[in-house]
Amino acid sequence: MFRSKAEQKVADAGYNPARLPPGQYLTEKWPVLHAGSVPETDLATWDFTVGGEVEEPLSLTWGEFQELPAVEVTLDIHCVTRWSRFDTSFRGVHWRELAKLVEPKPSARFVLAHAEAGFTSNVPLAAIEDENAVLAYEADGEPLMPEHGWPLRLVVPSRYFWKSAKWLRGLELRAADEPGFWERYGYHNDADYWKEERYSF
């Protein structure tokens, strides 16, 4: 059976090459990629909001957010720049806990994630309902590093990793989709890594 060099590296590392999406290569590192500088965060004034197509808009302090039931997931992450990192663990809050509080309206079909410095990321609501999606504050058993999104980042395992917005400050539920920051610069709106949906052009 023919294997590409990238697939052979995965097999040599003891993994099933079928886990590697097309055009990706395996790395044990976690490269740092983002636009702009790492924001400074004061947890005393930090808040997180959920609004839009919901019955009960919500605003939480850092302490209140951490009181929500937590989950831990282990998953593979895939960056549009072609690296993949297997078996990355995240701890945080699953969307269903927030959904209980805000009661999404039937019209809610999409999510626009709002992060520091005006950054946004868009996904279908179903993408954050995924059992392995999480609003994460820990990675690999430690608090998120600032360059990886501390204190909170979205983790959407079904999409290229740019959809997993760092420095998350809120979720806006929407009836209609709205392109996020990178999508406005030509990145693919859907970002399915199995289909290599990297760019819209």
mmCIF file with all atom_site columns, all heavy atoms in Angstrom, residues 26-51:
data_model
loop_
_atom_site.group_PDB
_atom_site.id
_atom_site.type_symbol
_atom_site.label_atom_id
_atom_site.label_alt_id
_atom_site.label_comp_id
_atom_site.label_asym_id
_atom_site.label_entity_id
_atom_site.label_seq_id
_atom_site.pdbx_PDB_ins_code
_atom_site.Cartn_x
_atom_site.Cartn_y
_atom_site.Cartn_z
_atom_site.occupancy
_atom_site.B_iso_or_equiv
_atom_site.pdbx_formal_charge
_atom_site.auth_seq_id
_atom_site.auth_comp_id
_atom_site.auth_asym_id
_atom_site.auth_atom_id
_atom_site.pdbx_PDB_model_num
ATOM 1   N N   . LEU A 1 26 ? 2.134   15.591 10.539 1.00 0.00 ? 26 LEU A N   1
ATOM 2   C CA  . LEU A 1 26 ? 2.049   15.431 11.984 1.00 0.00 ? 26 LEU A CA  1
ATOM 3   C C   . LEU A 1 26 ? 3.182   16.167 12.688 1.00 0.00 ? 26 LEU A C   1
ATOM 4   O O   . LEU A 1 26 ? 4.334   16.121 12.252 1.00 0.00 ? 26 LEU A O   1
ATOM 5   C CB  . LEU A 1 26 ? 2.108   13.943 12.336 1.00 0.00 ? 26 LEU A CB  1
ATOM 6   C CG  . LEU A 1 26 ? 2.025   13.577 13.817 1.00 0.00 ? 26 LEU A CG  1
ATOM 7   C CD1 . LEU A 1 26 ? 0.668   13.967 14.389 1.00 0.00 ? 26 LEU A CD1 1
ATOM 8   C CD2 . LEU A 1 26 ? 2.269   12.083 14.001 1.00 0.00 ? 26 LEU A CD2 1
ATOM 9   N N   . THR A 1 27 ? 2.844   16.850 13.781 1.00 0.00 ? 27 THR A N   1
ATOM 10  C CA  . THR A 1 27 ? 3.852   17.471 14.626 1.00 0.00 ? 27 THR A CA  1
ATOM 11  C C   . THR A 1 27 ? 3.494   17.252 16.086 1.00 0.00 ? 27 THR A C   1
ATOM 12  O O   . THR A 1 27 ? 2.312   17.153 16.444 1.00 0.00 ? 27 THR A O   1
ATOM 13  C CB  . THR A 1 27 ? 3.988   18.978 14.349 1.00 0.00 ? 27 THR A CB  1
ATOM 14  O OG1 . THR A 1 27 ? 5.004   19.534 15.202 1.00 0.00 ? 27 THR A OG1 1
ATOM 15  C CG2 . THR A 1 27 ? 2.688   19.714 14.618 1.00 0.00 ? 27 THR A CG2 1
ATOM 16  N N   . GLU A 1 28 ? 4.497   17.150 16.943 1.00 0.00 ? 28 GLU A N   1
ATOM 17  C CA  . GLU A 1 28 ? 4.266   17.086 18.386 1.00 0.00 ? 28 GLU A CA  1
ATOM 18  C C   . GLU A 1 28 ? 4.246   18.477 18.992 1.00 0.00 ? 28 GLU A C   1
ATOM 19  O O   . GLU A 1 28 ? 3.809   18.666 20.123 1.00 0.00 ? 28 GLU A O   1
ATOM 20  C CB  . GLU A 1 28 ? 5.339   16.226 19.063 1.00 0.00 ? 28 GLU A CB  1
ATOM 21  C CG  . GLU A 1 28 ? 5.292   14.758 18.653 1.00 0.00 ? 28 GLU A CG  1
ATOM 22  C CD  . GLU A 1 28 ? 6.332   13.925 19.370 1.00 0.00 ? 28 GLU A CD  1
ATOM 23  O OE1 . GLU A 1 28 ? 7.063   14.497 20.206 1.00 0.00 ? 28 GLU A OE1 1
ATOM 24  O OE2 . GLU A 1 28 ? 6.408   12.711 19.109 1.00 0.00 ? 28 GLU A OE2 1
ATOM 25  N N   . LYS A 1 29 ? 4.739   19.449 18.230 1.00 0.00 ? 29 LYS A N   1
ATOM 26  C CA  . LYS A 1 29 ? 4.752   20.831 18.713 1.00 0.00 ? 29 LYS A CA  1
ATOM 27  C C   . LYS A 1 29 ? 3.368   21.445 18.543 1.00 0.00 ? 29 LYS A C   1
ATOM 28  O O   . LYS A 1 29 ? 2.495   20.878 17.891 1.00 0.00 ? 29 LYS A O   1
ATOM 29  C CB  . LYS A 1 29 ? 5.788   21.646 17.942 1.00 0.00 ? 29 LYS A CB  1
ATOM 30  C CG  . LYS A 1 29 ? 7.208   21.137 18.092 1.00 0.00 ? 29 LYS A CG  1
ATOM 31  C CD  . LYS A 1 29 ? 8.177   21.952 17.244 1.00 0.00 ? 29 LYS A CD  1
ATOM 32  C CE  . LYS A 1 29 ? 9.600   21.430 17.375 1.00 0.00 ? 29 LYS A CE  1
ATOM 33  N NZ  . LYS A 1 29 ? 10.551  22.216 16.529 1.00 0.00 ? 29 LYS A NZ  1
ATOM 34  N N   . TRP A 1 30 ? 3.182   22.615 19.135 1.00 0.00 ? 30 TRP A N   1
ATOM 35  C CA  . TRP A 1 30 ? 1.946   23.360 18.965 1.00 0.00 ? 30 TRP A CA  1
ATOM 36  C C   . TRP A 1 30 ? 2.334   24.754 18.470 1.00 0.00 ? 30 TRP A C   1
ATOM 37  O O   . TRP A 1 30 ? 2.546   25.667 19.259 1.00 0.00 ? 30 TRP A O   1
ATOM 38  C CB  . TRP A 1 30 ? 1.174   23.437 20.278 1.00 0.00 ? 30 TRP A CB  1
ATOM 39  C CG  . TRP A 1 30 ? -0.206  24.010 20.160 1.00 0.00 ? 30 TRP A CG  1
ATOM 40  C CD1 . TRP A 1 30 ? -0.741  24.646 19.080 1.00 0.00 ? 30 TRP A CD1 1
ATOM 41  C CD2 . TRP A 1 30 ? -1.221  24.002 21.151 1.00 0.00 ? 30 TRP A CD2 1
ATOM 42  N NE1 . TRP A 1 30 ? -2.028  25.039 19.330 1.00 0.00 ? 30 TRP A NE1 1
ATOM 43  C CE2 . TRP A 1 30 ? -2.353  24.655 20.595 1.00 0.00 ? 30 TRP A CE2 1
ATOM 44  C CE3 . TRP A 1 30 ? -1.295  23.525 22.457 1.00 0.00 ? 30 TRP A CE3 1
ATOM 45  C CZ2 . TRP A 1 30 ? -3.535  24.842 21.321 1.00 0.00 ? 30 TRP A CZ2 1
ATOM 46  C CZ3 . TRP A 1 30 ? -2.461  23.707 23.175 1.00 0.00 ? 30 TRP A CZ3 1
ATOM 47  C CH2 . TRP A 1 30 ? -3.569  24.352 22.603 1.00 0.00 ? 30 TRP A CH2 1
ATOM 48  N N   . PRO A 1 31 ? 2.476   24.917 17.155 1.00 0.00 ? 31 PRO A N   1
ATOM 49  C CA  . PRO A 1 31 ? 2.904   26.215 16.618 1.00 0.00 ? 31 PRO A CA  1
ATOM 50  C C   . PRO A 1 31 ? 1.956   27.340 17.025 1.00 0.00 ? 31 PRO A C   1
ATOM 51  O O   . PRO A 1 31 ? 0.752   27.121 17.207 1.00 0.00 ? 31 PRO A O   1
ATOM 52  C CB  . PRO A 1 31 ? 2.874   25.983 15.100 1.00 0.00 ? 31 PRO A CB  1
ATOM 53  C CG  . PRO A 1 31 ? 3.028   24.505 14.934 1.00 0.00 ? 31 PRO A CG  1
ATOM 54  C CD  . PRO A 1 31 ? 2.302   23.905 16.103 1.00 0.00 ? 31 PRO A CD  1
ATOM 55  N N   . VAL A 1 32 ? 2.506   28.524 17.166 1.00 0.00 ? 32 VAL A N   1
ATOM 56  C CA  . VAL A 1 32 ? 1.722   29.698 17.561 1.00 0.00 ? 32 VAL A CA  1
ATOM 57  C C   . VAL A 1 32 ? 1.467   30.556 16.328 1.00 0.00 ? 32 VAL A C   1
ATOM 58  O O   . VAL A 1 32 ? 2.398   31.029 15.687 1.00 0.00 ? 32 VAL A O   1
ATOM 59  C CB  . VAL A 1 32 ? 2.467   30.525 18.629 1.00 0.00 ? 32 VAL A CB  1
ATOM 60  C CG1 . VAL A 1 32 ? 1.689   31.800 18.951 1.00 0.00 ? 32 VAL A CG1 1
ATOM 61  C CG2 . VAL A 1 32 ? 2.682   29.689 19.884 1.00 0.00 ? 32 VAL A CG2 1
ATOM 62  N N   . LEU A 1 33 ? 0.198   30.755 16.008 1.00 0.00 ? 33 LEU A N   1
ATOM 63  C CA  . LEU A 1 33 ? -0.189  31.549 14.845 1.00 0.00 ? 33 LEU A CA  1
ATOM 64  C C   . LEU A 1 33 ? -1.399  32.399 15.205 1.00 0.00 ? 33 LEU A C   1
ATOM 65  O O   . LEU A 1 33 ? -2.413  31.891 15.677 1.00 0.00 ? 33 LEU A O   1
ATOM 66  C CB  . LEU A 1 33 ? -0.544  30.636 13.664 1.00 0.00 ? 33 LEU A CB  1
ATOM 67  C CG  . LEU A 1 33 ? 0.578   29.740 13.127 1.00 0.00 ? 33 LEU A CG  1
ATOM 68  C CD1 . LEU A 1 33 ? 0.000   28.642 12.267 1.00 0.00 ? 33 LEU A CD1 1
ATOM 69  C CD2 . LEU A 1 33 ? 1.572   30.573 12.350 1.00 0.00 ? 33 LEU A CD2 1
ATOM 70  N N   . HIS A 1 34 ? -1.286  33.700 15.001 1.00 0.00 ? 34 HIS A N   1
ATOM 71  C CA  . HIS A 1 34 ? -2.428  34.590 15.174 1.00 0.00 ? 34 HIS A CA  1
ATOM 72  C C   . HIS A 1 34 ? -2.089  35.956 14.588 1.00 0.00 ? 34 HIS A C   1
ATOM 73  O O   . HIS A 1 34 ? -0.925  36.262 14.344 1.00 0.00 ? 34 HIS A O   1
ATOM 74  C CB  . HIS A 1 34 ? -2.833  34.739 16.648 1.00 0.00 ? 34 HIS A CB  1
ATOM 75  C CG  . HIS A 1 34 ? -1.706  35.099 17.564 1.00 0.00 ? 34 HIS A CG  1
ATOM 76  N ND1 . HIS A 1 34 ? -1.116  34.194 18.400 1.00 0.00 ? 34 HIS A ND1 1
ATOM 77  C CD2 . HIS A 1 34 ? -1.057  36.273 17.766 1.00 0.00 ? 34 HIS A CD2 1
ATOM 78  C CE1 . HIS A 1 34 ? -0.153  34.785 19.089 1.00 0.00 ? 34 HIS A CE1 1
ATOM 79  N NE2 . HIS A 1 34 ? -0.093  36.047 18.717 1.00 0.00 ? 34 HIS A NE2 1
ATOM 80  N N   . ALA A 1 35 ? -3.127  36.737 14.351 1.00 0.00 ? 35 ALA A N   1
ATOM 81  C CA  . ALA A 1 35 ? -2.930  38.111 13.873 1.00 0.00 ? 35 ALA A CA  1
ATOM 82  C C   . ALA A 1 35 ? -2.822  39.039 15.075 1.00 0.00 ? 35 ALA A C   1
ATOM 83  O O   . ALA A 1 35 ? -3.570  38.909 16.042 1.00 0.00 ? 35 ALA A O   1
ATOM 84  C CB  . ALA A 1 35 ? -4.100  38.531 12.984 1.00 0.00 ? 35 ALA A CB  1
ATOM 85  N N   . GLY A 1 36 ? -1.884  39.961 15.030 1.00 0.00 ? 36 GLY A N   1
ATOM 86  C CA  . GLY A 1 36 ? -1.754  40.916 16.119 1.00 0.00 ? 36 GLY A CA  1
ATOM 87  C C   . GLY A 1 36 ? -0.987  40.346 17.302 1.00 0.00 ? 36 GLY A C   1
ATOM 88  O O   . GLY A 1 36 ? -0.400  39.265 17.244 1.00 0.00 ? 36 GLY A O   1
ATOM 89  N N   . SER A 1 37 ? -1.001  41.082 18.406 1.00 0.00 ? 37 SER A N   1
ATOM 90  C CA  . SER A 1 37 ? -0.251  40.702 19.593 1.00 0.00 ? 37 SER A CA  1
ATOM 91  C C   . SER A 1 37 ? -1.138  39.967 20.597 1.00 0.00 ? 37 SER A C   1
ATOM 92  O O   . SER A 1 37 ? -2.372  39.989 20.498 1.00 0.00 ? 37 SER A O   1
ATOM 93  C CB  . SER A 1 37 ? 0.343   41.953 20.253 1.00 0.00 ? 37 SER A CB  1
ATOM 94  O OG  . SER A 1 37 ? -0.685  42.868 20.596 1.00 0.00 ? 37 SER A OG  1
ATOM 95  N N   . VAL A 1 38 ? -0.494  39.319 21.557 1.00 0.00 ? 38 VAL A N   1
ATOM 96  C CA  . VAL A 1 38 ? -1.234  38.618 22.615 1.00 0.00 ? 38 VAL A CA  1
ATOM 97  C C   . VAL A 1 38 ? -1.837  39.654 23.561 1.00 0.00 ? 38 VAL A C   1
ATOM 98  O O   . VAL A 1 38 ? -1.117  40.497 24.105 1.00 0.00 ? 38 VAL A O   1
ATOM 99  C CB  . VAL A 1 38 ? -0.293  37.670 23.388 1.00 0.00 ? 38 VAL A CB  1
ATOM 100 C CG1 . VAL A 1 38 ? -1.028  37.019 24.560 1.00 0.00 ? 38 VAL A CG1 1
ATOM 101 C CG2 . VAL A 1 38 ? 0.274   36.615 22.450 1.00 0.00 ? 38 VAL A CG2 1
ATOM 102 N N   . PRO A 1 39 ? -3.161  39.629 23.751 1.00 0.00 ? 39 PRO A N   1
ATOM 103 C CA  . PRO A 1 39 ? -3.777  40.653 24.603 1.00 0.00 ? 39 PRO A CA  1
ATOM 104 C C   . PRO A 1 39 ? -3.456  40.440 26.079 1.00 0.00 ? 39 PRO A C   1
ATOM 105 O O   . PRO A 1 39 ? -3.201  39.319 26.522 1.00 0.00 ? 39 PRO A O   1
ATOM 106 C CB  . PRO A 1 39 ? -5.281  40.469 24.343 1.00 0.00 ? 39 PRO A CB  1
ATOM 107 C CG  . PRO A 1 39 ? -5.419  39.059 23.911 1.00 0.00 ? 39 PRO A CG  1
ATOM 108 C CD  . PRO A 1 39 ? -4.160  38.717 23.158 1.00 0.00 ? 39 PRO A CD  1
ATOM 109 N N   . GLU A 1 40 ? -3.446  41.526 26.826 1.00 0.00 ? 40 GLU A N   1
ATOM 110 C CA  . GLU A 1 40 ? -3.312  41.444 28.277 1.00 0.00 ? 40 GLU A CA  1
ATOM 111 C C   . GLU A 1 40 ? -4.710  41.358 28.880 1.00 0.00 ? 40 GLU A C   1
ATOM 112 O O   . GLU A 1 40 ? -5.599  42.115 28.516 1.00 0.00 ? 40 GLU A O   1
ATOM 113 C CB  . GLU A 1 40 ? -2.571  42.660 28.818 1.00 0.00 ? 40 GLU A CB  1
ATOM 114 C CG  . GLU A 1 40 ? -1.126  42.749 28.342 1.00 0.00 ? 40 GLU A CG  1
ATOM 115 C CD  . GLU A 1 40 ? -0.384  43.918 28.960 1.00 0.00 ? 40 GLU A CD  1
ATOM 116 O OE1 . GLU A 1 40 ? -0.964  44.580 29.860 1.00 0.00 ? 40 GLU A OE1 1
ATOM 117 O OE2 . GLU A 1 40 ? 0.760   44.171 28.557 1.00 0.00 ? 40 GLU A OE2 1
ATOM 118 N N   . THR A 1 41 ? -4.898  40.423 29.801 1.00 0.00 ? 41 THR A N   1
ATOM 119 C CA  . THR A 1 41 ? -6.220  40.164 30.362 1.00 0.00 ? 41 THR A CA  1
ATOM 120 C C   . THR A 1 41 ? -6.202  40.336 31.870 1.00 0.00 ? 41 THR A C   1
ATOM 121 O O   . THR A 1 41 ? -5.319  39.805 32.554 1.00 0.00 ? 41 THR A O   1
ATOM 122 C CB  . THR A 1 41 ? -6.684  38.733 30.024 1.00 0.00 ? 41 THR A CB  1
ATOM 123 O OG1 . THR A 1 41 ? -6.740  38.583 28.603 1.00 0.00 ? 41 THR A OG1 1
ATOM 124 C CG2 . THR A 1 41 ? -8.051  38.436 30.623 1.00 0.00 ? 41 THR A CG2 1
ATOM 125 N N   . ASP A 1 42 ? -7.175  41.069 32.391 1.00 0.00 ? 42 ASP A N   1
ATOM 126 C CA  . ASP A 1 42 ? -7.374  41.221 33.827 1.00 0.00 ? 42 ASP A CA  1
ATOM 127 C C   . ASP A 1 42 ? -8.614  40.414 34.197 1.00 0.00 ? 42 ASP A C   1
ATOM 128 O O   . ASP A 1 42 ? -9.733  40.787 33.837 1.00 0.00 ? 42 ASP A O   1
ATOM 129 C CB  . ASP A 1 42 ? -7.561  42.701 34.170 1.00 0.00 ? 42 ASP A CB  1
ATOM 130 C CG  . ASP A 1 42 ? -7.747  42.929 35.659 1.00 0.00 ? 42 ASP A CG  1
ATOM 131 O OD1 . ASP A 1 42 ? -7.788  41.942 36.427 1.00 0.00 ? 42 ASP A OD1 1
ATOM 132 O OD2 . ASP A 1 42 ? -7.892  44.105 36.063 1.00 0.00 ? 42 ASP A OD2 1
ATOM 133 N N   . LEU A 1 43 ? -8.417  39.305 34.893 1.00 0.00 ? 43 LEU A N   1
ATOM 134 C CA  . LEU A 1 43 ? -9.549  38.444 35.223 1.00 0.00 ? 43 LEU A CA  1
ATOM 135 C C   . LEU A 1 43 ? -10.566 39.126 36.136 1.00 0.00 ? 43 LEU A C   1
ATOM 136 O O   . LEU A 1 43 ? -11.730 38.716 36.186 1.00 0.00 ? 43 LEU A O   1
ATOM 137 C CB  . LEU A 1 43 ? -9.060  37.149 35.870 1.00 0.00 ? 43 LEU A CB  1
ATOM 138 C CG  . LEU A 1 43 ? -8.265  36.203 34.962 1.00 0.00 ? 43 LEU A CG  1
ATOM 139 C CD1 . LEU A 1 43 ? -7.849  34.959 35.731 1.00 0.00 ? 43 LEU A CD1 1
ATOM 140 C CD2 . LEU A 1 43 ? -9.064  35.832 33.730 1.00 0.00 ? 43 LEU A CD2 1
ATOM 141 N N   . ALA A 1 44 ? -10.147 40.171 36.829 1.00 0.00 ? 44 ALA A N   1
ATOM 142 C CA  . ALA A 1 44 ? -11.072 40.887 37.710 1.00 0.00 ? 44 ALA A CA  1
ATOM 143 C C   . ALA A 1 44 ? -12.142 41.630 36.925 1.00 0.00 ? 44 ALA A C   1
ATOM 144 O O   . ALA A 1 44 ? -13.252 41.863 37.432 1.00 0.00 ? 44 ALA A O   1
ATOM 145 C CB  . ALA A 1 44 ? -10.310 41.864 38.605 1.00 0.00 ? 44 ALA A CB  1
ATOM 146 N N   . THR A 1 45 ? -11.830 41.998 35.689 1.00 0.00 ? 45 THR A N   1
ATOM 147 C CA  . THR A 1 45 ? -12.804 42.733 34.873 1.00 0.00 ? 45 THR A CA  1
ATOM 148 C C   . THR A 1 45 ? -13.266 41.932 33.656 1.00 0.00 ? 45 THR A C   1
ATOM 149 O O   . THR A 1 45 ? -14.127 42.388 32.905 1.00 0.00 ? 45 THR A O   1
ATOM 150 C CB  . THR A 1 45 ? -12.199 44.063 34.391 1.00 0.00 ? 45 THR A CB  1
ATOM 151 O OG1 . THR A 1 45 ? -11.011 43.801 33.627 1.00 0.00 ? 45 THR A OG1 1
ATOM 152 C CG2 . THR A 1 45 ? -11.849 44.948 35.581 1.00 0.00 ? 45 THR A CG2 1
ATOM 153 N N   . TRP A 1 46 ? -12.712 40.761 33.466 1.00 0.00 ? 46 TRP A N   1
ATOM 154 C CA  . TRP A 1 46 ? -13.059 39.909 32.329 1.00 0.00 ? 46 TRP A CA  1
ATOM 155 C C   . TRP A 1 46 ? -14.508 39.442 32.448 1.00 0.00 ? 46 TRP A C   1
ATOM 156 O O   . TRP A 1 46 ? -14.994 39.136 33.543 1.00 0.00 ? 46 TRP A O   1
ATOM 157 C CB  . TRP A 1 46 ? -12.128 38.705 32.310 1.00 0.00 ? 46 TRP A CB  1
ATOM 158 C CG  . TRP A 1 46 ? -12.286 37.754 31.160 1.00 0.00 ? 46 TRP A CG  1
ATOM 159 C CD1 . TRP A 1 46 ? -11.600 37.758 29.987 1.00 0.00 ? 46 TRP A CD1 1
ATOM 160 C CD2 . TRP A 1 46 ? -13.156 36.610 31.097 1.00 0.00 ? 46 TRP A CD2 1
ATOM 161 N NE1 . TRP A 1 46 ? -11.987 36.698 29.192 1.00 0.00 ? 46 TRP A NE1 1
ATOM 162 C CE2 . TRP A 1 46 ? -12.942 35.979 29.845 1.00 0.00 ? 46 TRP A CE2 1
ATOM 163 C CE3 . TRP A 1 46 ? -14.099 36.069 31.968 1.00 0.00 ? 46 TRP A CE3 1
ATOM 164 C CZ2 . TRP A 1 46 ? -13.630 34.828 29.460 1.00 0.00 ? 46 TRP A CZ2 1
ATOM 165 C CZ3 . TRP A 1 46 ? -14.796 34.927 31.583 1.00 0.00 ? 46 TRP A CZ3 1
ATOM 166 C CH2 . TRP A 1 46 ? -14.562 34.324 30.342 1.00 0.00 ? 46 TRP A CH2 1
ATOM 167 N N   . ASP A 1 47 ? -15.210 39.382 31.330 1.00 0.00 ? 47 ASP A N   1
ATOM 168 C CA  . ASP A 1 47 ? -16.537 38.776 31.323 1.00 0.00 ? 47 ASP A CA  1
ATOM 169 C C   . ASP A 1 47 ? -16.745 38.013 30.025 1.00 0.00 ? 47 ASP A C   1
ATOM 170 O O   . ASP A 1 47 ? -15.998 38.168 29.062 1.00 0.00 ? 47 ASP A O   1
ATOM 171 C CB  . ASP A 1 47 ? -17.645 39.811 31.545 1.00 0.00 ? 47 ASP A CB  1
ATOM 172 C CG  . ASP A 1 47 ? -17.728 40.826 30.411 1.00 0.00 ? 47 ASP A CG  1
ATOM 173 O OD1 . ASP A 1 47 ? -16.858 40.820 29.511 1.00 0.00 ? 47 ASP A OD1 1
ATOM 174 O OD2 . ASP A 1 47 ? -18.665 41.641 30.411 1.00 0.00 ? 47 ASP A OD2 1
ATOM 175 N N   . PHE A 1 48 ? -17.768 37.165 30.035 1.00 0.00 ? 48 PHE A N   1
ATOM 176 C CA  . PHE A 1 48 ? -18.106 36.351 28.877 1.00 0.00 ? 48 PHE A CA  1
ATOM 177 C C   . PHE A 1 48 ? -19.610 36.473 28.654 1.00 0.00 ? 48 PHE A C   1
ATOM 178 O O   . PHE A 1 48 ? -20.399 36.338 29.598 1.00 0.00 ? 48 PHE A O   1
ATOM 179 C CB  . PHE A 1 48 ? -17.717 34.893 29.122 1.00 0.00 ? 48 PHE A CB  1
ATOM 180 C CG  . PHE A 1 48 ? -18.115 33.974 27.997 1.00 0.00 ? 48 PHE A CG  1
ATOM 181 C CD1 . PHE A 1 48 ? -17.349 33.904 26.851 1.00 0.00 ? 48 PHE A CD1 1
ATOM 182 C CD2 . PHE A 1 48 ? -19.267 33.211 28.084 1.00 0.00 ? 48 PHE A CD2 1
ATOM 183 C CE1 . PHE A 1 48 ? -17.717 33.067 25.807 1.00 0.00 ? 48 PHE A CE1 1
ATOM 184 C CE2 . PHE A 1 48 ? -19.639 32.379 27.049 1.00 0.00 ? 48 PHE A CE2 1
ATOM 185 C CZ  . PHE A 1 48 ? -18.867 32.306 25.906 1.00 0.00 ? 48 PHE A CZ  1
ATOM 186 N N   . THR A 1 49 ? -20.005 36.721 27.404 1.00 0.00 ? 49 THR A N   1
ATOM 187 C CA  . THR A 1 49 ? -21.415 36.942 27.114 1.00 0.00 ? 49 THR A CA  1
ATOM 188 C C   . THR A 1 49 ? -21.919 35.943 26.076 1.00 0.00 ? 49 THR A C   1
ATOM 189 O O   . THR A 1 49 ? -21.166 35.462 25.235 1.00 0.00 ? 49 THR A O   1
ATOM 190 C CB  . THR A 1 49 ? -21.654 38.367 26.589 1.00 0.00 ? 49 THR A CB  1
ATOM 191 O OG1 . THR A 1 49 ? -20.940 38.544 25.353 1.00 0.00 ? 49 THR A OG1 1
ATOM 192 C CG2 . THR A 1 49 ? -21.192 39.415 27.597 1.00 0.00 ? 49 THR A CG2 1
ATOM 193 N N   . VAL A 1 50 ? -23.209 35.645 26.160 1.00 0.00 ? 50 VAL A N   1
ATOM 194 C CA  . VAL A 1 50 ? -23.907 34.885 25.129 1.00 0.00 ? 50 VAL A CA  1
ATOM 195 C C   . VAL A 1 50 ? -25.170 35.666 24.798 1.00 0.00 ? 50 VAL A C   1
ATOM 196 O O   . VAL A 1 50 ? -25.946 36.015 25.709 1.00 0.00 ? 50 VAL A O   1
ATOM 197 C CB  . VAL A 1 50 ? -24.277 33.463 25.581 1.00 0.00 ? 50 VAL A CB  1
ATOM 198 C CG1 . VAL A 1 50 ? -24.943 32.699 24.429 1.00 0.00 ? 50 VAL A CG1 1
ATOM 199 C CG2 . VAL A 1 50 ? -23.048 32.711 26.072 1.00 0.00 ? 50 VAL A CG2 1
ATOM 200 N N   . GLY A 1 51 ? -25.360 35.982 23.514 1.00 0.00 ? 51 GLY A N   1
ATOM 201 C CA  . GLY A 1 51 ? -26.518 36.793 23.120 1.00 0.00 ? 51 GLY A CA  1
ATOM 202 C C   . GLY A 1 51 ? -26.997 36.427 21.734 1.00 0.00 ? 51 GLY A C   1
ATOM 203 O O   . GLY A 1 51 ? -26.691 35.360 21.206 1.00 0.00 ? 51 GLY A O   1
#
